[in-house]
């Protein structure tokens, strides 16, 4: 059902990290822009963020390589890293968003694995990989010693995360090293029916009046501590 709070959510500003900061008071966060876009009189940033209820002790990032001759590799990509002081000690959190290009993903997956390996201690790597890794690189997890948290807990469930309108692929992942996943969930599966007058008519028709928080559903995981 539509409500004033739903309308308030719809009308949030363009700055998603700032919106999340307001929704998560008391959380620490780090944001790293990967690319800048000049749109008229505004400079827009596209990047990654990590939010933590525990103190963030240090942050850094790796700029992934980009092939400018590859038309599908048109966005700059990064992997963002934060050291979080958790109840079980320091945990390394990594987040990334990979290219639409197959060759770029193949190349940068190895760059990410090498970067993650350079840190000692428990690790979590999350992100939109833009690929069904079980088909595209089925040995990636074993090759680099990762645990696929969703698959280890739900071996017979599809775990689709894309797209919200017609779920048919699992391209969002949570990988861990030195941490035992205990429970995994997929959120964002329920749509909103938004009043037609609030939405561009073409968008309304395209999505049959049903809108989701994102074109991806949200993968979450709890770990044993």
């Amino acid at each position: 059902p539509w409500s004033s709070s739903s309308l308030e959510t719809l009308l949030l500003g363009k700055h998603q990290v700032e919106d999340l900061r307001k929704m998560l008071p008391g959380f620490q966060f780090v944001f790293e822009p990967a690319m800048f876009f000049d749109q008229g009189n505004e400079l827009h940033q596209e990047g990654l963020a990590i939010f933590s209820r525990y103190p963030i002790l240090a942050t850094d990032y790796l700029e992934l390589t980009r092939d400018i001759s590859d038309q599908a590799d048109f966005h700059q990509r990064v992997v963002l890293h934060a050291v979080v002081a958790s109840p079980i000690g320091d945990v390394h959190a990594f987040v990334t968003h990979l290219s639409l290009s197959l060759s770029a993903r193949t190349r940068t997956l190895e760059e990410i694995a090498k970067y993650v390996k350079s840190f000692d201690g428990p690790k979590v790597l999350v992100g939109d990989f833009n690929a069904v890794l079980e088909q595209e690189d089925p040995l990636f997890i074993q090759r680099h010693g990762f645990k696929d948290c969703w698959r280890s807990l739900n071996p017979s469930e599809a775990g689709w995360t894309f797209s919200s309108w017609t779920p048919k692929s699992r391209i969002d992942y949570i990988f861990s090293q030195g941490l035992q996943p205990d429970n995994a969930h997929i959120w964002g599966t329920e749509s909103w029916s938004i009043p037609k007058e609030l939405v561009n008519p073409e968008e309304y028709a395209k999505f049959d009046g049903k809108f989701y928080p994102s074109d991806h559903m949200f993968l979450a995981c709890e770990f044993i501590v």
Side-chain angles (χ1 to χ4, degrees):
W2 192 254
S3 67
S4 58
S5 62
S6 301
L7 177 60
E8 181 180 351
T9 302
L10 176 68
L11 298 179
L12 286 172
K14 303 179 210 178
H15 308 292
Q16 294 177 342
V17 173
E18 179 65 14
D19 292 335
L20 288 170
R21 183 191 67 79
K22 294 175 181 177
M23 294 176 182
L24 298 169
F27 277 60
Q28 294 189 7
F29 74 94
V30 56
F31 170 67
E32 182 60 43
M35 197 164 182
F36 294 85
F37 298 90
D38 185 4
Q39 296 190 347
N41 296 323
E42 293 184 323
L43 188 64
H44 290 200
Q45 298 176 341
E46 178 183 279
L48 300 170
I50 295 173
F51 281 76
S52 174
R53 69 174 69 248
Y54 300 113
I56 294 177
L57 304 178
T59 68
D60 59 10
Y61 71 98
L62 175 68
E63 187 174 282
L64 302 174
T65 59
R66 181 181 168 205
D67 181 0
I68 59 173
S69 67
D70 182 350
Q71 292 185 353
D73 194 19
F74 55 91
H75 283 189
Q76 178 61 57
R77 308 287 177 169
V78 301
V79 53
L80 176 61
H81 167 230
V83 184
V84 177
S86 82
I88 61 168
D90 294 353
V91 172
H92 296 272
F94 303 84
V95 61
T96 194
H97 181 194
L98 292 189
S99 175
L100 297 175
S101 161
L102 171 58
S103 62
R105 290 194 300 273
T106 301
R107 181 182 68 249
T108 56
L109 271 173
E110 297 306 310
E111 295 171 6
I112 291 170
K114 182 179 179 180
Y115 180 62
V116 171
K117 189 178 180 180
S118 69
F119 298 94
D120 295 324
K123 305 166 191 175
V124 179
L125 168 64
V126 308
D128 171 5
F129 286 72
N130 268 321
V132 179
L133 289 181
E134 289 164 308
Q135 299 173 6
E136 191 168 293
D137 190 351
L139 298 180
F140 171 77
I141 299 167
Q142 295 92 327
R143 192 163 66 245
H144 296 292
F146 289 114
K147 182 184 291 288
D148 180 344
C149 295
W150 172 266
R151 183 57 65 223
S152 68
L153 295 168
N154 304 279
S156 61
E157 294 186 33
W160 288 332
T161 60
F162 184 82
S163 74
S164 296
W165 285 267
T166 53
K168 60 183 179 181
S169 60
R170 188 169 79 101
I171 64 175
D172 301 275
Y173 296 89
I174 298 176
F175 298 134
S176 67
Q177 290 181 347
L179 290 169
Q180 181 60 42
D182 183 48
N183 211 338
H185 319 273
I186 294 177
W187 303 102
T189 59
E190 294 185 7
S191 66
W192 290 342
S193 181
I194 296 178
K196 185 178 292 187
E197 62 271 17
L198 295 177
V199 185
N200 177 293
E202 292 182 4
E203 292 291 305
Y204 191 90
K206 178 180 178 181
F207 298 119
D208 194 28
K210 295 179 180 178
F211 292 84
Y212 292 84
S214 169
D215 56 338
H216 292 244
M217 291 178 280
F218 311 132
L219 180 61
C221 184
E222 299 171 4
F223 295 89
I224 298 173
V225 297

